[in-house]
Structure formats: C-alpha cells, structure tokens
Amino acid sequence: MSIIIRKEQSCDVQSIDAVIVAAFLEAPHTEHTEHFIVKSLRESGALSISLVAEDGGNIVGHVALSPVSISDDADGWYGLGPISVLPNNQSKGVGSKLMNAAIQELKGIKAKGCVLLGDPNYYNRFGFEPKKGLEFPGVPHEYFQALLFQGDLPQGIVTYHESFFVKE
C-alpha cells in the first residue's frame, strides 16, 4: 500500500462520492447523507479543503473541511468531516494520513482551530479534545472536540454550514 494524499481534482468527484457512500454504509449513527453534504459544500463554495487518499491510482479515502460559525463571532475556525475510508482500507493508517494532512493544510491557511464530531478514542491522538465553553447542542460533550492552532479558544455555540442539513 503506497498512499498519496493530495488535493481533490474535478475528475475525482465521482470516486469521492463512491468512497463516502461505501465508508458510511454500515456505520452507526448516520443518516447516510455524508455524500450529499460534501456535494452541497462543493456546490456552495464552502468546501475549503478537500483531500483524497490515493493508492495505485485509486481513491481510497477522503476528508472535507469547511468553515464553521461560532456564536462569539470568532473567525478562522473549520469543521472537519466527513472523513471517509473504503472499508477494505480501514485500520491501515489511511485515515491517520488524511487527518495529519488536513491538520497541516489548516495550519497552512492560518486557521485558528478545527472542530469535529467523532469518537474521542480515535481523534484524541491528533490533539482533539472536548473544550469547555465550546458547544455543539444535542451531542454528548465528549464527542464534540476541538483543536486550537492559534489565539484564544472561542466560547459559544458552533454551527456548521447549512450543507450539513441536506437530505439529498
């Protein structure tokens, strides 16, 4: 396995969609709208960073990052997700490579921080952790995590882009 992480190209869109659908097919806690979210983010110009993991010319993983709003008017914050890896390629380091590349891309654009919704046992290895005062209502506190790159930690309610509410 020789994984290359690179930015999405227009010719990748169909493969990205297939990876996302396959990655979330058997996943718990999903409404299976992840591929619609990425499509909507892309179409609305809110897909700030879109990286693919390629193995032998085939796309096996993808990560999306988009701006989030915080009720204290903090700027420069992004939401990571969805992150997707084909089931046959999971537990082989592909997701970790995507995560590390995404964090580097965010640092490269001088992002102040990043939030995500996910398993703390997985994402804490990248420095993500729940932060007091930074909230995403309706989700257990330990599953909403943040990584601060620079400045002060914002305090308030985080809102993802409207694309996260699409159903198709």
Side-chain angles (χ1 to χ4, degrees):
M1 195 174 222
S2 178
I3 300 297
I4 297 168
I5 306 295
R6 63 172 175 77
K7 292 182 179 177
E8 166 186 311
Q9 300 170 2
S10 58
C11 61
D12 297 328
V13 171
Q14 189 173 7
S15 295
I16 290 169
D17 191 56
V19 166
I20 296 169
V21 169
F24 285 94
L25 192 61
E26 301 294 327
H29 314 295
T30 179
E31 294 178 4
H32 303 287
T33 59
E34 291 82 7
H35 59 298
F36 298 131
I37 291 168
V38 172
K39 178 182 178 187
S40 181
L41 286 168
R42 189 182 293 115
E43 289 174 352
S44 66
L47 187 57
S48 303
I49 297 171
S50 180
L51 302 175
V52 297
E54 188 178 282
D55 182 25
N58 297 312
I59 294 176
V60 298
H62 176 260
V63 63
L65 292 116
S66 56
V68 294
S69 300
I70 303 174
S71 61
D72 73 353
D73 293 327
D75 62 354
W77 278 77
Y78 292 81
L80 188 146
I83 182 168
S84 313
V85 176
L86 286 176
N88 290 343
N89 296 88
Q90 292 175 7
S91 300
K92 295 180 180 177
V94 177
S96 292
K97 288 183 180 192
L98 282 167
M99 285 295 299
N100 288 323
I103 290 167
Q104 291 309 308
E105 288 285 327
L106 287 168
K107 288 178 179 178
I109 63 169
K110 306 288 190 238
K112 292 180 183 170
C114 183
V115 295
L116 59 77
L117 192 60
D119 182 356
N121 295 319
Y122 179 78
Y123 292 105
N124 67 11
R125 73 179 89 174
F126 305 103
F128 285 87
E129 60 186 11
K131 302 286 189 183
K132 186 175 173 120
L134 198 56
E135 301 176 30
F136 188 68
V139 174
H141 181 69
E142 65 270 17
Y143 288 93
F144 184 67
Q145 301 157 74
L147 179 60
L148 178 67
F149 299 129
Q150 60 178 319
D152 295 325
L153 182 70
Q155 300 291 293
I157 296 173
V158 175
T159 305
Y160 283 83
H161 188 270
E162 63 188 19
S163 295
F164 281 82
F165 304 102
V166 299
K167 298 297 179 195
E168 56 182 66

